[in-house]
Structure formats: C-alpha cells, structure tokens
Amino acid sequence: MSTTTIRLPDELKARVAAAAKQAGTTSHNFILEAIAEKAELAAQRAAFHAVADQRYAEFLESGMSIPWEEARAYLKGRIAGKAVKRPVARKLDR
C-alpha cells in the first residue's frame, strides 16, 4: 500500500473529523471511503456515458426510435402495474 499526503484546510479537517466521529470511524477511514465512493461514481458516470454514446451511434446508423409520447405512456402504464404493449421503434418522420 502506498502513502499519499493531502493538505486539508483546517475547516475541512474539522468537518471530516466530526463526520467520521458521527459515523463511528476514524478520519483516515472516512477519507478512504469518500475517495473510493467518488472513484466509483466517476466509473459509473463513464459507463453511463459510454452506453449513451453507443446507443446514440446506433440511432444515427438506423434512424429507428420511439416517440417520447409513446415511451412515456408505456412507462407510466408499467409504473401503474397495467399490462401495456411495448412500443416498437420505427423511423421517425422529420
């Protein structure tokens, strides 16, 4: 395990200490968990953007899509527990 030094402003150091105490852990562990959480969020965001980019590329290639009104009605029906027919993608008129 390597060592990294970070300089914290006194006010932030005090906030971290208070939050760590409230969480029942040490400041060191609190900071490690915060860094791990932030790294995980960044990885999830990157994966989300990769999927969005891939889906957009597929849309540009195929031109197939579902109008928002149909998608919204379908989703609202599903949330309400209704048996709704899944909308079908098609080329949209422009």
Side-chain angles (χ1 to χ4, degrees):
M1 185 177 294
S2 64
T3 300
T4 300
T5 302
I6 58 171
R7 298 189 195 305
L8 300 176
D10 291 337
E11 187 270 333
L12 179 57
K13 186 176 179 180
R15 288 175 49 207
V16 167
K21 184 176 181 180
Q22 186 176 9
T25 189
T26 64
S27 292
H28 175 80
N29 193 52
F30 187 86
I31 292 168
L32 287 179
E33 288 178 359
I35 293 169
E37 184 177 311
K38 186 71 171 183
E40 178 61 26
L41 287 173
Q44 288 176 355
R45 187 176 294 110
F48 175 82
H49 284 280
V51 168
D53 289 344
Q54 181 251 335
R55 289 181 180 175
Y56 185 64
E58 288 174 6
F59 165 72
L60 291 177
E61 186 176 316
S62 72
M64 303 291 280
S65 183
I66 298 170
W68 170 239
E69 296 78 20
E70 292 177 27
R72 184 171 189 227
Y74 170 74
L75 293 171
K76 286 177 86 172
R78 291 285 309 263
I79 289 170
K82 298 178 182 176
V84 291
K85 185 178 176 187
R86 186 178 186 143
V88 178
R90 63 184 183 276
K91 287 203 181 231
L92 299 179
D93 296 328
R94 287 201 156 196

